Amino acid sequence: MQLEKNTQTITIAINGIVQGVGFRPFVYREALELGITGTVSNSDDGVRIIATAPGEMLELFIKRLQNNTPPVATIASLTVASQPLRSFADFTIISSRHQHSATVQITPDLCVCNECLAEIRDKNNRRYQYPFTNCTNCGPRFSIIEHVPYDRPNTSMRTFPMCRRCQREYDNPLDRRFHAQPNACPVCGPSLSWHDNQGELIATENCIHAAAKALHSGKVVAIKGLGGFHLAVDGFSKASVALLRKRKKRPAKPLAVMARDIETAKKYCHISAQEAQLLCSPQHPIVLLTKKDPSDLAANLAANLGVLGVMLPYTPLHALLLEQPECPDVLVMTSGNTAGEPICTNNEDALKRLSHLADLFLLHNRDIVTRVDDSVTRVMDGATRLLRRGRGYSPVPIPLEPTKDILACGAEMKNTFCIVRNNEAYLGQHIGELSQAACYDFYRESIDHLKTVLECTPSLVAHDRHPDYFSTRYATGLDAAKVAVQHHHAHTAAVLAEHRITDPVLSIILDGTGYGDDSTIFGGEIYVADRKSYQRKAHLEHLQLPGGDQAVAEPWRTGFSLLHKHFAAQGIAEEQLPSWFTTIAAEKRKVIGQLLEKGFNSPLTSSCGRLFDGLAALTGTCLFSHYEGQAAMELEYQAALCEHREALEGYQVEVVADAEHLILSTAPLIKQVMADINAEVATPTIAYRFHLWLVNSLVFVLKRLRQETGLNTVTLSGGCIQNRVLFELLTACLRKETFEVYSGQVIPVNDGGIALGQAYIVGAT
Ligand code: ZN
Ligand code: ZN
Ligand code: FE
């Protein structure tokens, strides 16, 4: 902006993440350097500056505010207005103590910064080895806030009065800890304790050292962290990992690890520059990385998969633990809960619920107010994509087009909910599977907590159309206007909301299952959709799920169903059946055959996830699934292993039309897959060909729909879109055909994004 040269007064209003992140001290320092006088204060929706100086200095000031922003702050908007000339003696920070500021954005928890790390490693520093060190640039936020404004008395740090030296830092605008609400030191702050699994205190000089030794000797240690508990074991010990799996009743689901530092992580995984940056970002999420093979890591961390979830130490406690010479360089760090339940937060609860899982407990006495799970990310097609939005990201709001205040209840699996207030969508953290009683309690608790924090009780409620989802039942019980939203319209709308797309799009939704508009289960759909409505234009050919949900747990049933469908008429010779076929008891096959024959308890679905299940079974990759998405993930891994990515002979695209829809026929696929199996084509090749066939089929249909509708923008969503082989092939092929392609980045494409989509749709009505 152009200002007159003379001395003048302006106001600068800044919105975004600018509170609780050292923004005012930053403004103060810049003003001091430029000789600008005036004030800076927190306002209802950000920061407000009054500044007096010659025009050119003010211009420079504004430029610096925009360019030198503190690492964790984000400016959403900056507006300047002229004021009548005012003179100030100096530049001051006005305290925000008593203002009402529910409209202010709440900052997420952030990883320990390098300056704090340097202090805890410095023998001469008063915070040497102190695991609760933090400053305005780092440390706990959302997980310790009881209500706004974000001030120490409103957090679980309330019970730790600051010592004289900490108070001095807190009061000094030039100090890195100026108004750092969780500021603490060994004299005044929280402390660690070391317990056995009966809760008995074990006397030790150094709790962190004791924990490192226990981990080294193969024990399972429960560690209280930032937003909850982790269960940790040695990441190199197959036996320790097996023990943890057995106790947690989690036979196969991949476990995330924490590596000592990025160099350590590089020993065991391939890490691109972008992935390295993500690992080291202020959010420090779990990043899905391609494993190196062979490797010293325990083989049962993520068996049959090519990727491993890796994160780096994000609290001083984690850093100190992994820096102990005895500590294994890589620790399994899985959330501290029994399968399906929410992670524990308080000490008594953890000692009770985790005593049969952990041998030892590393606890501390700072309460966790809000559980926050680790976020999970994956770099695909050159962009960071959140698969689980938790620590570091939650509850940063997503700005929406003008809309009403809304509560969106989300789906059933990977549930998150969403509250829209003042045109901003606050997506709550990952809750989990609502069908678990404890998760459902956590769900209700979390909604109430976020309502309190935001000081907002929406009178409009959005929910999934599925009548049996717990989230739907929850919505039904509320005293508010309710709107049901179709699952895959919500998937689409999440992408529209994130990318602020207002025109209609061609939407590809490749998903597990969702409640359909007819008697079938949806899940492999192409819609023409916008924020308000959708039209189902095409879908994958229906397949029968013998036994319904049981088929999800036993992909062989779906494989069998595909064979039954495509070969039943002319039959298939016994010797041409895939070899796994005989591992399933003949009696069982007979029963399933009868179910399929009669169509009894065998719902029809167009689900893409189920088609993946079927293919995983046919190729012998996965017959039984122990965790959600296992078959599809293992098939993706097989495809990623394929080295011969030549053209697809025989894998024909066949599209047929019924009265309303185009249908992507699976007959040529299944016939060719069986031919390949019988010709002993390697599984990775077949898996890859299936991916490519799916992409070719989708692109074919999309081109037809483009001709019909004139639309050229494509959105991609649904759980299958987390598959990197599929995603990258699909985006590349679509771009080659000059489509404009969008998919979820900060909003998960899986059911974790449903709540935002619901809110966005309902807000338009
Ligand atoms: Zn710090
Ligand atoms: Zn202190
Ligand atoms: Fe879904």
Side-chain angles (χ1 to χ4, degrees):
M1 91 173 273
Q2 205 69 41
L3 292 172
E4 300 278 318
K5 278 210 162 91
N6 58 318
T7 296
Q8 54 191 293
T9 301
I10 57 168
T11 57
I12 306 170
I14 301 177
N15 295 7
I17 301 175
V18 288
Q19 294 195 11
V21 291
F23 201 85
R24 285 176 305 158
F26 151 68
V27 173
Y28 176 87
R29 285 190 298 271
E30 294 292 342
L32 229 53
E33 259 179 48
L34 297 175
I36 288 165
T37 62
T39 62
V40 57
S41 58
N42 282 339
S43 63
D44 272 354
D45 55 359
V47 161
R48 189 166 183 271
I49 302 164
I50 305 176
T52 300
E56 52 204 317
M57 293 315 278
L58 289 174
E59 273 174 27
L60 190 58
F61 182 49
I62 294 164
K63 223 177 258 158
R64 285 215 200 172
L65 293 182
Q66 286 169 319
N67 297 339
N68 305 346
T69 314
V72 290
T74 324
I75 297 180
S77 73
L78 182 152
T79 40
V80 179
S82 289
Q83 294 286 309
L85 186 65
R86 281 175 68 181
S87 59
F88 298 90
D90 50 17
F91 196 89
T92 50
I93 298 178
I94 299 175
S95 164
S96 66
R97 272 310 148 77
H98 303 294
Q99 94 193 72
H100 164 89
S101 51
T103 48
V104 159
Q105 297 188 358
I106 303 152
T107 318
D109 302 278
L110 298 163
C111 79
V112 55
C113 74
N114 288 331
E115 283 161 299
C116 285
L117 274 179
E119 288 181 342
I120 62 171
R121 288 171 183 153
D122 175 5
K123 276 201 170 68
N124 300 316
N125 192 286
R126 72 191 188 94
R127 289 190 172 85
Y128 177 58
Q129 302 231 313
Y130 182 58
F132 304 95
T133 302
N134 65 81
C135 72
T136 22
N137 298 322
C138 76
R141 298 283 189 278
F142 182 50
S143 63
I144 60 166
I145 296 175
E146 280 159 359
H147 49 89
V148 284
Y150 174 55
D151 257 330
R152 193 172 177 108
N154 298 337
T155 72
S156 58
M157 284 302 291
R158 175 182 59 229
T159 52
F160 301 96
M162 273 183 278
C163 70
R164 200 173 37 83
R165 292 174 80 177
C166 283
Q167 187 70 49
R168 232 174 16 221
E169 295 166 338
Y170 184 92
D171 291 333
N172 177 5
L174 290 177
D175 195 279
R176 203 172 89 245
R177 297 194 164 93
F178 175 67
H179 286 191
Q181 305 306 342
N183 189 24
C185 77
V187 175
C188 65
S191 55
L192 292 171
S193 56
W194 181 235
H195 303 256
D196 68 16
N197 63 0
Q198 301 306 306
E200 292 300 320
L201 197 69
I202 304 173
T204 170
E205 282 279 285
N206 184 335
C207 295
I208 298 177
H209 182 71
K213 278 204 309 205
L215 287 162
H216 178 73
S217 69
K219 297 279 194 279
V220 180
V221 179
I223 301 173
K224 186 179 185 181
L226 202 55
F229 280 75
H230 281 121
L231 292 168
V233 294
D234 180 353
F236 298 96
S237 163
K238 208 174 161 186
S240 301
V241 174
L243 177 69
L244 176 65
R245 284 196 177 284
K246 196 171 142 223
R247 289 187 186 169
K248 226 186 150 182
K249 298 195 178 70
R250 190 169 163 169
K253 196 173 172 185
L255 298 166
V257 299
M258 185 179 274
R260 202 172 106 99
D261 47 32
I262 185 100
E263 282 69 36
T264 307
K266 279 181 179 163
K267 279 192 217 163
Y268 308 106
C269 293
H270 299 279
I271 304 180
S272 70
Q274 201 177 357
E275 286 162 340
Q277 206 179 19
L278 185 56
L279 281 166
C280 302
S281 67
Q283 290 81 15
H284 264 51
I286 294 172
V287 183
L288 295 190
L289 300 171
T290 305
K291 286 193 279 192
K292 283 189 177 167
D293 190 29
S295 129
D296 294 336
L297 289 179
N300 48 353
L301 286 176
N304 303 325
L305 296 177
V307 290
L308 183 67
V310 180
M311 61 184 150
L312 298 180
Y314 56 83
T315 69
L317 173 60
H318 296 138
L320 290 169
L321 175 63
L322 278 137
E323 283 169 20
Q324 295 286 317
E326 288 87 351
C327 191
D329 281 350
V330 176
L331 293 176
V332 170
M333 281 288 217
T334 185
S335 42
N337 57 358
T338 2
E341 289 194 348
I343 46 176
C344 297
T345 51
N346 77 53
N347 293 357
E348 292 88 81
D349 181 40
L351 282 166
K352 204 167 74 202
R353 280 169 53 201
L354 304 181
S355 64
H356 64 294
L357 302 177
D359 301 304
L360 293 148
F361 285 75
L362 181 58
L363 303 180
H364 62 70
N365 56 351
R366 185 180 69 203
D367 282 345
I368 298 168
V369 177
T370 300
R371 293 164 230 248
V372 188
D373 276 88
D374 295 319
S375 293
V376 180
T377 61
R378 190 173 198 182
V379 174
M380 297 199 294
D381 185 40
T384 295
R385 300 179 193 272
L386 257 72
L387 307 185
R388 182 164 85 195
R389 193 180 160 88
R391 175 179 50 76
Y393 299 92
S394 185
V396 178
I398 319 290
L400 292 185
E401 299 298 315
T403 184
K404 299 160 196 151
D405 288 358
I406 296 162
L407 166 67
C409 297
E412 180 88 336
M413 313 248 281
K414 294 195 163 79
N415 177 281
T416 58
F417 61 89
C418 175
I419 293 179
V420 180
R421 188 199 60 183
N422 297 339
N423 304 324
E424 286 183 318
Y426 292 81
L427 205 53
Q429 79 273 20
H430 169 82
I431 305 279
E433 319 302 320
L434 286 191
S435 53
Q436 303 278 337
C439 274
Y440 187 56
D441 290 344
F442 174 39
Y443 173 70
R444 289 184 303 189
E445 214 176 88
S446 301
I447 292 177
D448 288 342
H449 179 67
L450 194 59
K451 277 183 182 169
T452 309
V453 169
L454 296 174
E455 297 179 2
C456 171
T457 304
S459 56
L460 188 55
V461 171
H463 61 84
D464 197 279
R465 217 175 255 172
H466 201 305
D468 298 332
Y469 277 2
F470 278 86
S471 51
T472 304
R473 293 187 202 169
Y474 174 81
T476 313
L478 295 174
D479 179 23
K482 286 146 229 162
V483 183
V485 177
Q486 202 275 325
H487 189 84
H488 301 108
H489 188 208
H491 269 306
T492 308
V495 182
L496 298 180
E498 176 177 349
H499 295 284
R500 311 192 128 218
I501 302 168
T502 48
D503 291 330
V505 296
L506 299 168
S507 167
I508 299 180
I509 312 108
L510 304 178
D511 205 20
T513 48
Y515 200 74
D517 295 334
D518 48 28
S519 58
T520 68
I521 302 164
F522 282 20
E525 315 301 317
I526 300 181
Y527 288 175
V528 166
D530 60 14
R531 184 180 176 185
K532 287 192 173 135
S533 63
Y534 67 98
Q535 209 188 344
R536 190 188 197 200
K537 287 289 191 182
H539 61 84
L540 288 173
E541 181 177 357
H542 287 138
L543 62 87
Q544 279 180 288
L545 291 178
D549 280 348
Q550 200 54 35
V552 181
E554 297 182 14
W556 74 267
R557 291 179 182 229
T558 308
F560 190 76
S561 165
L562 288 168
L563 286 180
H564 189 269
K565 181 181 173 80
H566 294 298
F567 291 98
Q570 69 266 43
I572 188 165
E574 188 72 26
E575 65 274 13
Q576 285 186 341
L577 288 169
S579 57
W580 59 263
F581 204 77
T582 50
T583 67
I584 308 289
E587 188 53 33
K588 235 179 174 180
R589 279 185 271 140
K590 203 174 135 201
V591 173
I592 298 303
Q594 284 165 347
L595 284 185
L596 290 166
E597 207 80 42
K598 296 185 183 130
F600 179 71
N601 191 21
S602 298
L604 288 174
T605 183
S606 52
S607 162
C608 184
R610 299 295 78 81
L611 184 61
F612 265 89
D613 286 355
L615 268 291
L618 289 181
T619 54
T621 306
C622 178
L623 304 182
F624 294 89
S625 174
H626 300 285
Y627 58 90
E628 197 219 336
Q630 179 177 354
M633 285 162 73
E634 291 186 359
L635 198 64
E636 174 193 349
Y637 174 49
Q638 289 301 317
L641 288 174
C642 174
E643 284 167 2
H644 310 287
R645 303 190 166 187
E646 67 272 356
L648 278 172
E649 265 174 58
Y651 281 75
Q652 276 154 16
V653 171
E654 187 181 299
V655 175
V656 294
D658 68 7
E660 296 145 272
H661 315 115
L662 297 174
I663 298 163
L664 270 159
S665 166
T666 52
L669 167 74
I670 302 306
K671 293 203 167 132
Q672 191 56 43
V673 164
M674 289 313 296
D676 276 1
I677 289 173
N678 283 309
E680 290 180 16
V681 174
T683 300
T685 309
I686 303 177
Y688 182 78
R689 287 175 176 175
F690 160 59
H691 280 72
L692 194 52
W693 169 87
L694 182 59
V695 166
N696 287 344
S697 303
L698 292 165
V699 174
F700 179 86
V701 172
L702 243 60
K703 279 160 73 181
R704 269 182 61 171
L705 292 176
R706 173 164 64 185
Q707 262 178 356
E708 185 191 312
T709 63
L711 301 175
N712 194 51
T713 307
V714 180
T715 60
L716 306 178
S717 56
C720 299
I721 290 296
Q722 300 169 97
N723 174 327
R724 180 154 76 185
V725 175
L726 178 64
F727 186 85
E728 292 187 344
L729 265 177
L730 186 53
T731 48
C733 290
L734 286 168
R735 288 210 193 92
K736 211 169 129 207
E737 297 291 345
T738 70
F739 284 103
E740 212 179 314
V741 188
Y742 295 90
S743 188
Q745 292 182 18
V746 300
I747 302 302
V749 291
N750 57 42
D751 282 8
I754 287 286
L756 178 71
Q758 290 173 342
Y760 194 56
I761 291 165
V762 169
T765 52

Coordinates of all heavy atoms in Angstrom, one line a residue, residues 113 116 134-135 138 176, ligand 1:
C113 N 10.3 -26.6 20.0 CA 11.1 -25.8 19.0 C 12.6 -26.0 19.3 O 13.0 -26.6 20.3 CB 10.7 -24.3 19.1 SG 11.4 -23.5 20.6
C116 N 14.1 -24.4 22.5 CA 13.8 -25.1 23.7 C 14.6 -26.4 23.8 O 15.1 -26.8 24.9 CB 12.3 -25.4 23.8 SG 11.3 -24.0 24.3
N134 N 8.8 -25.3 27.4 CA 8.1 -24.8 26.2 C 8.2 -23.3 26.1 O 8.8 -22.7 27.0 CB 6.6 -25.2 26.3 CG 5.9 -24.5 27.5 OD1 5.5 -23.3 27.4 ND2 5.8 -25.2 28.6
C135 N 7.7 -22.7 25.1 CA 7.8 -21.2 24.9 C 6.6 -20.8 24.0 O 5.8 -21.6 23.7 CB 9.1 -20.8 24.3 SG 9.3 -21.2 22.6
C138 N 6.1 -22.9 20.9 CA 6.0 -24.4 21.0 C 5.2 -24.8 22.3 O 5.0 -24.0 23.2 CB 7.3 -25.1 20.9 SG 8.3 -25.0 22.4
R176 N 11.3 -14.8 24.9 CA 10.7 -15.9 24.1 C 9.5 -16.5 24.9 O 8.6 -17.2 24.3 CB 11.7 -16.9 23.8 CG 11.4 -17.7 22.5 CD 12.5 -18.7 22.2 NE 12.4 -20.0 22.8 CZ 13.2 -20.4 23.8 NH1 14.3 -19.7 24.1 NH2 13.1 -21.6 24.3
Ligands
ZN1 ZN 10.0 -23.5 22.4

